[in-house]
Amino acid sequence: MEPFIRSEQYNFIKLQTQILINGHATANDRDVINTLKTVSKERVLQLFSDLNEDQKQLLDPVDTIKDPAQAENFLLQIKPYVIPFKEITEKTIKKLFPKAKKLKAPSLETVDLREISYLGWDDHGSGRKFIIAPHHDTFTGLHGTIKPANKKGICAICSRFEEIGMFMSETKGKVQGTFIKKGNYICLDSMKCNQNITTLEKMTDLIERLK
Ligand SMILES: [Zn+2]
């Protein structure tokens, strides 16, 4: 079976296992538990539009999860079927950020490519953040300055309450040669952000606002 689960879908499934564990720990009403099981399973299966029999069988046991050990075991079973983030070559980086000279891609050796939906890294010399995200079956690049907000807030990519920074990027204005600055609060720590993402909706919104 080929990998078919996207990283953010894996995070969503993980979240459902957490909801099930919490439910079993707090509810003692059988009906409540049964509803919770049904809803969780439905949510997981609805992530995918056309599951084949093998894929369905893999995901089916999600509603049997009661405790952290079972969740861990289940997540280990499905992890190999998560689609890893594509390797980014120097050539892709040059194409996405033609004006950034000598920009180095971050080392991905220590990164589990199944755990990222987008690649985000800071270029400390210039105080800029670079983001490579999938968009319309290809990659798109976003870049801008990043300034820590020194407080927690809602991230425009993962929607969680995290340590954020103001990501200020320039987009081309309607009049040729003009630029408009647009600011968005996003997680300072892109790896943490990736772990939080359970839908790509916000990322897509951000890309469309900034492109
Ligand atoms: Zn975030």
Side-chain angles (χ1 to χ4, degrees):
M1 187 169 28
E2 292 283 311
F4 67 99
I5 304 166
R6 288 195 312 263
S7 182
E8 95 282 0
Q9 292 172 325
Y10 175 80
N11 289 342
F12 181 89
I13 297 168
K14 197 172 178 179
L15 189 68
Q16 295 308 312
T17 67
Q18 196 56 52
I19 291 169
L20 281 162
I21 295 166
N22 294 346
H24 279 283
T26 54
N28 37 30
D29 186 288
R30 217 192 158 99
D31 289 340
V32 173
I33 296 281
N34 281 338
T35 306
L36 186 67
K37 285 168 74 170
T38 311
V39 171
S40 295
K41 188 163 176 169
E42 255 174 33
R43 281 184 182 157
V44 167
L45 296 180
Q46 273 169 7
L47 286 174
F48 309 92
S49 53
D50 46 2
L51 287 174
N52 65 32
E53 213 36 57
D54 290 345
Q55 293 167 335
K56 198 172 167 295
Q57 253 178 41
L58 181 76
L59 297 171
D60 236 21
V62 69
D63 61 355
T64 63
I65 291 164
K66 290 187 186 123
D67 58 50
Q70 287 171 332
E72 200 180 325
N73 191 34
F74 174 73
L75 292 168
L76 272 175
Q77 299 280 325
I78 68 168
K79 189 76 180 274
Y81 302 103
V82 177
I83 306 160
F85 195 78
K86 259 207 205 149
E87 297 273 0
I88 300 288
T89 62
E90 292 288 330
K91 208 175 137 194
T92 310
I93 296 215
K94 278 210 181 87
K95 208 178 116 200
L96 292 175
F97 307 110
K99 284 186 185 152
K101 304 271 183 262
K102 288 183 197 153
L103 181 65
K104 278 256 174 271
S107 165
L108 294 178
E109 272 169 35
T110 56
V111 175
D112 184 339
L113 294 174
R114 289 187 165 88
E115 289 180 2
I116 59 172
S117 297
Y118 75 93
L119 191 58
W121 76 101
D122 296 329
D123 181 44
H124 293 290
S126 65
R128 299 178 85 81
K129 194 185 241 323
F130 291 83
I131 289 172
I132 296 178
H135 189 55
H136 295 321
D137 299 326
T138 174
F139 283 118
T140 195
L142 300 175
H143 63 103
T145 55
I146 183 89
K147 266 208 190 91
N150 295 317
K151 60 170 184 185
K152 281 194 157 192
I154 301 292
C155 165
I157 296 174
C158 69
S159 303
R160 295 276 190 92
F161 192 64
E162 291 286 357
E163 288 295 335
I164 47 164
M166 172 58 81
F167 178 64
M168 189 67 85
S169 53
E170 283 185 346
T171 53
K172 282 191 186 118
K174 283 202 179 97
V175 179
Q176 208 186 352
T178 61
F179 292 92
I180 303 161
K181 281 196 164 178
K182 285 183 184 167
N184 288 279
Y185 283 114
I186 60 170
C187 284
L188 282 175
D189 182 345
S190 294
M191 288 316 287
K192 186 87 209 288
C193 190
N194 266 296
Q195 282 165 15
N196 290 341
I197 296 177
T198 52
T199 162
L200 293 180
E201 213 175 298
K202 293 276 172 183
M203 177 57 112
T204 305
D205 286 353
L206 183 73
I207 293 168
E208 304 211 319
R209 276 205 304 281
L210 298 183
K211 278 283 152 185

